[in-house]
Amino acid sequence: MKDYIKYHEWQIIEEGFCPENNRVSESIFSIGNGKMGQRANFEEKYSGDSLNGTYIAGIYYPDKTRVGWWKNGYPEYFAKIINSTNWIGINITINGQELDLAKSKVLEFSRILDMHHGVLARKFVAELDNGNKVEVNSQRFVSIDDTELGAISYSVKALNFSGKIVVSPYLNGDVQNEDSNYDEKFWVEVEKQIENNSGFLTLETIKTKFQVTTGMYFQITKNGKNETRVISNITKEKYIEASQTVEVVEGDELIIEKFVSTISSHNYSNNQLVEKTSEAIKRIKKTGFAKLLQNHKKRWLEKWETSDIKIEGDVAAQQGIRFNIFQLNQTYSGEDERLNIGPKGFTGEKYGGVTYWDTEAYCLPFYLSTAPDEVSKNLLIYRHKHLQKAIDNAEKLGFNNGAALYPMVTINGEECHNEWEITFEEKHRNGEISQPIYNYINYTGDKEYLAPFGFEVLLGISRFWSQRVNWSHEKQKYVMLGVTGPNEYENNVNNNFHTNYMAVWTLKYTIEAIEYLKTEFPYLFEEMVQKWKFNELKETDRWNDIIEKMYLPWDDKKQIYIQQDGFLDKELIPVSEIPSEDLPLNQKWSWDRILRSCYIKQADTLQSMFWFEDNFSELELKRHFDFYEPLTVHESSLSPCIHSILGAKIGYEEKSYDMYLRTARLDLDNYNDDTDDGLHITSMGGTWMAFVMGFGGMRAKNNKLIFNPFLPKKWKLYAFKINFRGADLEVKKERNNFTIINHSNVEVSVIVWNQQVVINKNSSINFKK
């Protein structure tokens, strides 16, 4: 754990230059706008340890799988959102010596991410080997107002010297991924052009043939006066540069404003890219840095209007939740149903930047409550668009009749994960595709989503579960063998409770959907019956039999559901007895030792308890929490949030707070020593859930919002904003008061501490406890 980020309500602050923290900081200070993202690499040259990263939504490469041996059904590639043209580069040479913080004496250094306005700033004073001292201030953003644009303001001040400063803005497409399986470079040059202070570079990915054109324009001022004069241009393969020499005297300050546009074939045809880049550069010249920044800030303030969470009395917690919200908002805008959310977003290479099973499960609630319904709906439509690929994935593993197995990892619907114990065995992911359909409809009331989108996905998944189980004569039950649950510290187990429970729930929900469609959309339902060759009587008879007779491991003595067969054969030693030097286990223990241990990576049985809490009494929830949480190492970023919510539900307020703080500051404090390769974006949705569903006790049930809030002891108050079916609500909890303010013209029914009331439009109501 690295605790070097300064506490601040609206800013992420790093003071002092510590090269060993640089990769972590590059992740933490990342910026993006839903279409592209940029790690917090330095503009000037840096020869020290760094992970350079510029990522463009939808642009990927199918990196051929590298394994020791092959198995039937193995994915042929691991898809990656690849490192793209480095657009931030501005080389600075001072009296013949390059500015490079790895080779200079850094006298002052600070880096600030302004979350309120979406702006990254950096300031440093450095002394070069030649004794020249320079002060640099940089400011950059990727616009969420005009999402094809990014901009940098970079100032260089001569503190103790006179002479020549050479300024060299460039675009460099000669990049690669550190995690390239075969050390390949994924880009080839198509065309380039550079003339004076503007130019463009067009590259194409090998295999997938995506094209991206990056345009550049810059201007230089000295002491406030235009200095953009004699430019020398340099071109190399996949590289363009413009260089200008400026004479300075001590005290002079240069300001370089560099603007870029990024246009991809994901959104335009190849023959439009240069034209669209030219149009973007014209917009830049007309608008200017100040106006671009003003428009960008305005849009960020609008986002915070609907999604902010306020805490008084705990700056660490306040900073943590806003950091999570900020990253969620800059990673996914929901405007394009072809896009989804990668576990690391646009902040690093880990997990390839592609979509995992946890996207909808952990991120959907945030967007449901803070964004228009279309944003959440597009997350679900993304999966519907991939339904045929999910059916193809299942067929590769021997399933038939339209059974669908959604991929563990994907960019285009095909499975591309190459670890056999996950690719072949982690079947619970199918349930995590079906449950968000219910979640979306339950929250929005949009039951028409079932016709046909939701139903078609549910049908394919239910057909898969029907084929994946088998009848055990020994148990006289249906069982599911050879799976891996959410707890990836155990592989190839039989009858994982969560997986079996999700299968049963999905079958039940699909049958409910059928009854709704038969009543409300009979003609459309009949069309779907014909399209999918659905034998309702035969198939639902089997589903009902599975629902009735599914085996769920149970221990009479402990009165709990067992995570899977044989779990109680392990030595049940609590995590508190593990020596601290052995943690995290995944970096200290052998895989053999982990697999034999009782230790749980993340919520597994408790994942079902969280999603389906109404099916269990509070006593049952407490009994399961008391058994499983002490065995959980929380080495998955998805773990603390679920335990925080359940802890709040059963009255473990201190545990709920501790788990919340861990999930909220997971990356800021680098809890699991893995922030250097990117942030944990999907778990940030879990952080939001931990706050709103944990502390706020919020649930949506039967067309109403339910609240059972509590205020952590350290806090003076908290407040959050949500929208629910057109009602814009502000929720505030103080020590003895709970207030809901309705800022809309829509009345809403709520239940607070079992008291049901209607909050009229543009009014508020206060509750005492």
Side-chain angles (χ1 to χ4, degrees), residues 534-545:
F534 177 47
N535 188 327
E536 181 187 351
L537 181 61
K538 180 180 178 181
E539 294 191 57
T540 57
D541 275 353
R542 176 167 170 80
W543 297 351
N544 279 312
D545 198 44

Side-chain angles (χ1 to χ4, degrees), residues 497-551:
F497 171 82
H498 177 66
T499 307
N500 288 16
Y501 200 90
M502 287 300 301
V504 169
W505 179 87
T506 304
L507 294 173
K508 287 181 179 178
Y509 185 51
T510 306
I511 291 172
E512 291 177 18
I514 290 170
E515 294 307 312
Y516 168 77
L517 293 172
K518 287 166 65 175
T519 301
E520 300 296 328
F521 298 93
Y523 298 111
L524 179 56
F525 178 70
E526 186 57 33
E527 288 179 12
M528 288 188 288
V529 167
Q530 298 302 319
K531 175 183 177 181
W532 295 103
K533 298 179 174 58
F534 177 47
N535 188 327
E536 181 187 351
L537 181 61
K538 180 180 178 181
E539 294 191 57
T540 57
D541 275 353
R542 176 167 170 80
W543 297 351
N544 279 312
D545 198 44
I546 294 170
I547 291 168
E548 181 184 350
K549 300 173 183 175
M550 176 67 88
Y551 173 67

Side-chain angles (χ1 to χ4, degrees), residues 237-507:
E237 184 183 4
K238 296 182 279 190
Y239 183 92
I240 62 171
E241 176 186 301
S243 186
Q244 178 177 342
T245 301
V246 183
E247 295 277 353
V248 298
V249 297
E250 184 177 325
D252 281 352
E253 181 180 38
L254 305 182
I255 297 179
I256 305 101
E257 291 182 343
K258 180 180 180 182
F259 306 88
V260 296
S261 64
T262 302
I263 311 292
S264 80
S265 60
H266 185 74
N267 299 307
Y268 302 100
S269 62
N270 290 350
N271 60 13
Q272 291 181 291
L273 299 183
V274 174
E275 175 191 351
K276 292 297 180 181
T277 300
S278 177
E279 291 175 3
I281 295 298
K282 289 179 181 177
R283 294 200 304 274
I284 288 169
K285 291 180 178 179
K286 181 179 180 181
T287 307
F289 186 89
K291 184 64 174 177
L292 279 174
L293 180 58
Q294 179 184 343
N295 294 343
H296 170 74
K297 287 182 174 182
K298 181 180 177 182
R299 288 294 299 274
W300 263 111
L301 293 177
E302 290 171 359
K303 281 188 177 288
W304 285 112
E305 274 298 312
T306 61
S307 60
D308 189 26
I309 290 178
K310 180 180 180 181
I311 301 170
E312 289 189 8
D314 191 339
V315 178
Q318 176 68 88
Q319 183 185 47
I321 190 61
R322 282 187 173 142
F323 181 67
N324 284 255
I325 294 170
F326 173 76
Q327 293 295 343
L328 287 165
N329 276 328
Q330 72 170 3
T331 299
Y332 181 73
S333 66
E335 297 171 355
D336 189 339
E337 64 192 29
R338 298 170 299 169
L339 301 177
N340 206 284
I341 303 167
K344 295 284 186 178
F346 299 117
T347 69
E349 295 181 5
K350 184 73 178 289
Y351 305 123
V354 292
T355 299
Y356 274 57
W357 65 268
D358 50 317
T359 296
E360 295 88 345
Y362 286 80
C363 294
L364 183 69
F366 170 77
Y367 297 110
L368 278 173
S369 292
T370 65
D373 290 350
E374 290 76 16
V375 172
S376 302
K377 191 172 185 177
N378 279 341
L379 271 179
L380 301 185
I381 290 176
Y382 175 88
R383 297 295 188 179
H384 180 264
K385 291 171 74 74
H386 290 171
L387 175 58
Q388 186 56 54
K389 291 287 184 67
I391 293 171
D392 296 341
N393 291 335
E395 287 180 351
K396 291 176 184 177
L397 301 185
F399 297 86
N400 54 45
N401 190 37
L405 175 60
Y406 275 87
M408 185 71 186
V409 179
T410 192
I411 185 65
N412 62 2
E414 293 180 318
E415 175 64 75
C416 65
H417 199 282
N418 54 17
E419 297 178 20
W420 69 268
E421 69 276 8
I422 292 176
T423 304
F424 295 155
E425 294 186 352
E426 207 158 329
K427 309 302 187 191
H428 69 89
R429 63 191 189 250
N430 250 10
E432 276 84 29
I433 302 301
S434 57
Q435 195 273 342
I437 296 173
Y438 166 82
N439 201 3
Y440 166 79
I441 293 172
N442 177 62
Y443 194 89
T444 65
D446 181 17
K447 292 191 75 172
E448 291 187 8
Y449 179 75
L450 289 170
F453 300 125
F455 169 72
E456 292 187 328
V457 171
L458 290 170
L459 175 62
I461 292 174
S462 292
R463 283 174 161 175
F464 174 84
W465 291 132
S466 180
Q467 295 178 42
R468 186 58 174 80
V469 301
N470 62 271
W471 180 253
S472 167
H473 291 284
E474 176 76 20
K475 290 182 170 62
Q476 288 294 293
K477 293 279 188 179
Y478 287 99
V479 296
M480 205 174 316
L481 310 176
V483 300
T484 297
N487 174 29
E488 293 169 347
Y489 286 179
E490 293 184 288
N491 303 146
N492 198 27
V493 302
N494 294 333
N495 295 308
N496 171 254
F497 171 82
H498 177 66
T499 307
N500 288 16
Y501 200 90
M502 287 300 301
V504 169
W505 179 87
T506 304
L507 294 173

Side-chain angles (χ1 to χ4, degrees), residues 92 94 132 223 283 423 518 673:
I92 303 294
I94 299 170
N132 294 165
N223 303 328
R283 294 200 304 274
T423 304
K518 287 166 65 175
D673 196 25

